[in-house]
Amino acid sequence: DDQARALWACVWWLEELPDKSGELEPLIDTYLSFLFWAQTDSGHFHNNFAYDRSREAENPSDDCLGRCLWAASLVWSHYREKDEHRRIAAERLIRPALGRLVEVRSPRGASYALAALAHLIRSGFKDQADGSGRTADLAARLGGLLLRCYREHASPEWRWFEPLLSYSNGVIPWGILYARHAL
């Protein structure tokens, strides 16, 4: 997921500084290549590697899946009309990852994925040949998950999605607010 964050940063910088494409696009290609290497046959992304590049034992991370999907959605939307090769590469990361979203349980992973789905919908991504909306269905499922988390843990004294604050707390409302504009 660190590579996904780096990819995200490069795409955002490229949008702000298009004259730096000669410096940023090789990095984008490197980070995309790493995500291809890290993506498993199931569509998930392996997150922990040893120094010798071997995969360490881990349980799949919802946060990693959500961040990788978010970064790939940014690449897809940025290059959808500019560079067919990078757009196709991003789409080849996205399509298998969509199938993993039904397993997401973490509020942060759900929020990143929800924002990614909303970004794809807003950008005109077609997830089925007939134009049917699997992305919209997945977004509704993730939004429902976040709503259930809030209902389970919130009270008049504690208005939050979990029983405690831990890490990256801002991503939860960000994902919801970002998705609201597209859905």
Side-chain angles (χ1 to χ4, degrees), residues 15 20 23 29 54 59 77 107 122 128 141 143 146 161:
E15 289 179 3
K20 298 290 185 183
E23 297 169 45
D29 294 341
S54 62
N59 292 322
S77 68
R122 185 184 299 163
Q128 304 291 329
R141 184 207 164 278
L146 292 169
F161 302 83

Side-chain angles (χ1 to χ4, degrees), residues 119-166:
H119 191 71
L120 289 169
I121 291 166
R122 185 184 299 163
S123 301
F125 183 80
K126 301 292 183 220
D127 53 15
Q128 304 291 329
D130 64 2
S132 63
R134 185 171 75 152
T135 50
D137 293 342
L138 289 166
R141 184 207 164 278
L142 294 171
L145 169 85
L146 292 169
L147 183 59
R148 284 188 302 280
C149 287
Y150 186 82
R151 287 180 177 157
E152 179 181 340
H153 298 290
S155 69
E157 299 81 32
W158 183 256
R159 298 176 192 268
W160 195 243
F161 302 83
E162 300 171 298
L164 53 90
L165 294 176
S166 57

Side-chain angles (χ1 to χ4, degrees), residues 93-134:
L93 288 170
I94 292 166
R95 289 195 184 280
L98 291 176
R100 308 301 346 145
L101 295 181
V102 296
E103 301 166 3
V104 169
R105 302 287 180 265
S106 153
R108 285 161 196 78
S111 295
Y112 275 113
L114 180 60
L117 293 170
H119 191 71
L120 289 169
I121 291 166
R122 185 184 299 163
S123 301
F125 183 80
K126 301 292 183 220
D127 53 15
Q128 304 291 329
D130 64 2
S132 63
R134 185 171 75 152

Side-chain angles (χ1 to χ4, degrees), residues 1 15 44 47 60 87 92 102 115-117 138-139 145 154 169:
D1 65 353
E15 289 179 3
H44 220 295
N47 194 32
R87 179 189 52 80
R92 288 190 178 157
V102 296
L117 293 170
L138 289 166
L145 169 85
N169 294 300

Side-chain angles (χ1 to χ4, degrees), residues 44-65:
H44 220 295
F45 294 87
H46 198 85
N47 194 32
N48 296 310
F49 297 91
Y51 186 74
D52 67 358
R53 298 183 182 174
S54 62
R55 293 175 186 230
E56 295 179 340
E58 69 177 16
N59 292 322
S61 162
D62 291 348
D63 293 11
C64 179
L65 176 63

